[in-house]
Amino acid sequence: MGNGGQSRFFSWTQTLADLTVTLPLPGWVRREDLRVDVADTSVIVELVGAGAERARAELGAAKRSADGPVGDPLPLLRGPLEFAVRSADCVWSLERQGPAGAGPGAS
């Protein structure tokens, strides 16, 4: 049995042993397009490099946006965790729900 929640952009579940965050991404996103940093008390997920540039282009972002200039990471999820985790024990994965290129924002 666990707890959880859902926002407009992601959902999460937590048990005594596990925390799972689900963040829907366009089907074209590859592992290399992501930076995931789980610290003991916070989490950051960003699109980087070509992934960040493609997302900005698809969103119609100008050369400078509220998230920073072109070339900077594009934050997707950033914030404190309610309870501390052992960051050394954390893993993350990118799971496909359908064929590559499918999903929101895919062309």
Side-chain angles (χ1 to χ4, degrees), residues 3-71:
N3 296 310
Q6 187 164 354
S7 80
R8 182 174 165 206
F9 301 106
F10 67 94
S11 63
W12 63 274
T13 57
Q14 185 173 14
T15 66
L16 292 176
D18 294 300
L19 169 66
T20 301
V21 178
T22 302
L23 182 67
L25 298 169
W28 53 261
V29 172
R30 301 168 302 152
R31 189 181 205 300
E32 301 82 32
D33 297 323
L34 293 169
R35 177 184 305 142
V36 178
D37 180 21
V38 180
D40 290 344
T41 59
S42 64
V43 62
I44 297 172
V45 180
E46 301 173 317
L47 281 171
V48 296
E53 297 312 311
R54 180 171 177 177
R56 282 191 174 94
E58 289 185 6
L59 293 170
K63 290 195 175 198
R64 285 192 61 86
S65 70
D67 297 312
V70 169

